[in-house]
Amino acid sequence: MVQGYVNLNTERNKEWLQEYVDNWVTFFKKQTDTGKVADYIPKLEDADPNALGITIIGKHGTQIRSGDLDIPFSIQSISKVLSFIVACMDRGLTYVLHRVDVEPTGEAFNSIMHLEINNPKRPFNPMVNSGAITISSLLNGKTSDQKLEPIFALLEKMIGYRPELDVEVYESERDTSMRNRAIGYYLLEEGYLESDLGVTLETYFKQCSINITTDDLARIGLVLSNDGFHPDTGEVIIPRNVTRIAKSLMLTCGMYDASGKFAAYVGIPAKSGVSGGILAVVPPRVRDNDLPFLDGCGIGVFGPALDKQGNSIAGIKLLRHIANSWDMSLF
Ligand code: GLU
C-alpha cells in the first residue's frame, strides 16, 4: 500500500525530478575543470575531461537520465564488486573471506604497504588491488577467459546484454601496470594466489577493461538495492548474504581513501573507478512520503576528471548533492 503510493509519487514528480537533476548536472559540469583524467593507464587519457552524466533507475522502472550519456567507459575498479560476488557464489563466502579480509585500509587502492604491515599478510579487502587480484585468482577456470565468463554472465543478467571488452584499454594497462605486477609477485610469495600469476593478472586487467555506461551501472545498483533480486526479470541472481557483504564493502571501502568521508556525508554504498565511473546503491528506506525513490534505486555516474583520491571530482559532488537532497542516506 505504502509502496504503491510512494511509486506514484515519484512518477507524478518525474518531470520535476528530471529538471532538478538536469540543473545540477549543468552546475557541477563546470567543476570538471578542477580535476584530472587518469593517465597512469595511457589509454584512459583519451576520455573527455568535461564529460558528466548520471542515470537513476527505480524499482518500478522510473528513470532519470541526464548529461553526457551513452558514452561507454571501462568499468575499472567497479569490477571488483562483481568479481567478489562471483567468487563468493562459486567458492563460498567463508572460503573467500578466509583469503581476503573486510577491513578498510585508509590508503591508496594500489598500496603495497598494508600487505607488509598486516599479520597474517592477508589483503585487507576485495576493493583494493591486492584483494581484487587475490579474488581474480580464486575465480574458477584455467584461462583468463574461463575465469571471466561468470562475470560476463552475471553482468548480462543484470544489465540485459553482454558488454564488450575494450581491448585497447586492456593492452594499455597490461603493458604499463608494473605496480600491479609487484602486488601480484608479493601475493604469490605469501601464498595467496590460487592460479598462475600471469593468468591472474590477465584476468584482473581484462575485468577492469569491460565497457559499460551509466545506464548499466544504475541497473547493477538497482539489483544490489534489491538484495540480488532483479525487478525486471523476477529472478534472484545473487544470494542475499553475498549482496549484504558486497554492499558493506562498498560502504566502508568503495570510494578509495575517501570512503569514510563518503559514508559519513553521503551514507550509501558506492564504488568508483579510475575511468570516472561511480556505482551507487540506494536501499529502500522508511521516510517522508514526499521523497523520491523510497523503494530504492540504482545510480550510475560518469565523469572522468578525478580528484586526488581517484574519485570523479564532479561526479562525487553531484551524487552527494542529490543523495542529500532526497535523503537517500542509510542512516
Ligand atoms: N585497473 C586499475 C588498476 O588496477 C583499476 C584501478 C581503479 O579503478 O581503482 O590500477
Side-chain angles (χ1 to χ4, degrees):
M1 181 69 183
V2 170
Q3 284 199 348
Y5 174 70
V6 168
N7 182 40
L8 268 179
N9 206 22
T10 301
E11 280 302 322
R12 198 176 61 223
N13 290 316
K14 186 167 181 276
E15 243 170 72
W16 184 87
L17 299 177
Q18 179 69 52
E19 203 182 309
Y20 183 84
V21 174
D22 287 343
N23 286 340
W24 285 106
V25 168
T26 307
F27 177 83
F28 285 114
K29 198 173 158 74
K30 293 186 203 115
Q31 301 194 16
T32 53
D33 281 336
T34 56
K36 201 174 164 305
V37 171
D39 56 6
Y40 77 101
I41 300 173
K43 192 67 194 154
L44 294 184
E45 252 192 307
D46 293 353
D48 171 7
N50 298 117
L52 183 64
I54 184 167
T55 303
I56 307 171
I57 305 183
K59 190 172 181 176
H60 303 280
T62 308
Q63 295 193 18
I64 310 286
R65 306 174 73 241
S66 187
D68 301 300
L69 301 161
D70 306 319
I71 304 173
F73 54 94
S74 54
I75 190 167
Q76 295 300 334
S77 259
I78 301 170
S79 69
K80 292 167 179 169
V81 177
L82 303 168
S83 57
F84 172 73
I85 289 172
V86 166
C88 291
M89 286 168 70
D90 283 354
R91 309 296 298 266
L93 207 49
T94 314
Y95 189 89
V96 171
L97 296 182
H98 193 63
R99 278 150 192 82
V100 182
D101 208 344
V102 290
E103 287 300 334
T105 65
E107 284 162 26
F109 64 98
N110 54 5
S111 166
I112 299 181
M113 186 169 69
H114 67 278
L115 279 177
E116 272 283 7
I117 57 176
N118 205 19
N119 202 2
K121 297 177 190 304
R122 181 165 56 156
F124 267 56
N125 68 70
M127 302 293 128
V128 290
N129 287 16
S130 55
I133 291 169
T134 304
I135 296 285
S136 302
S137 88
L138 298 182
L139 298 172
N140 287 329
K142 285 203 165 21
T143 65
S144 61
D145 290 340
Q146 287 168 353
K147 283 173 170 290
L148 289 165
E149 183 47 40
I151 295 181
F152 276 107
L154 177 66
L155 268 169
E156 196 170 351
K157 281 189 180 170
M158 286 172 139
I159 66 180
Y161 75 101
R162 195 179 170 92
E164 290 189 350
L165 196 76
D166 187 327
V167 178
E168 287 184 26
V169 170
Y170 160 62
E171 290 175 350
S172 182
E173 180 164 10
R174 180 198 62 192
D175 297 343
T176 53
S177 192
M178 299 313 146
R179 178 172 280 264
N180 282 330
R181 287 180 196 281
I183 292 173
Y185 277 110
Y186 194 93
L187 293 166
L188 184 66
E189 185 186 73
E190 294 298 329
Y192 279 100
L193 297 189
E194 290 205 0
S195 309
D196 169 78
L197 174 61
V199 172
T200 299
L201 288 172
E202 198 174 290
T203 306
Y204 174 71
F205 297 148
K206 282 185 179 171
Q207 74 181 55
C208 289
S209 308
I210 297 171
N211 265 344
I212 34 98
T213 64
T214 54
D215 288 0
D216 299 333
L217 290 180
R219 287 203 180 88
I220 295 168
L222 181 62
V223 173
L224 294 176
S225 161
N226 281 311
D227 291 332
F229 172 81
H230 199 308
D232 295 344
T233 61
E235 197 188 344
V236 176
I237 54 183
I238 309 165
R240 183 175 132 64
N241 61 343
V242 176
T243 56
R244 192 173 67 79
I245 305 257
K247 284 186 280 190
S248 307
L249 285 165
M250 289 169 74
L251 185 71
T252 52
C253 321
M255 301 298 280
Y256 302 120
D257 34 336
S259 298
K261 287 186 185 61
F262 192 83
Y265 299 130
V266 188
I268 53 176
K271 179 77 198 88
S272 61
V274 287
S275 53
I278 306 176
L279 157 70
V281 179
V282 180
R285 58 213 194 281
V286 181
R287 301 277 158 84
D288 183 335
N289 276 335
D290 281 339
L291 289 168
F293 296 107
L294 280 178
D295 291 341
C297 62
I299 305 180
V301 177
F302 176 57
L306 308 179
D307 61 18
K308 284 202 178 69
Q309 278 81 28
N311 293 308
S312 170
I313 197 157
I316 203 169
K317 288 179 182 166
L318 175 67
L319 184 57
R320 176 175 170 172
H321 184 83
I322 291 174
N324 285 345
S325 310
W326 296 351
D327 199 1
M328 287 173 156
S329 171
L330 281 174
F331 313 106

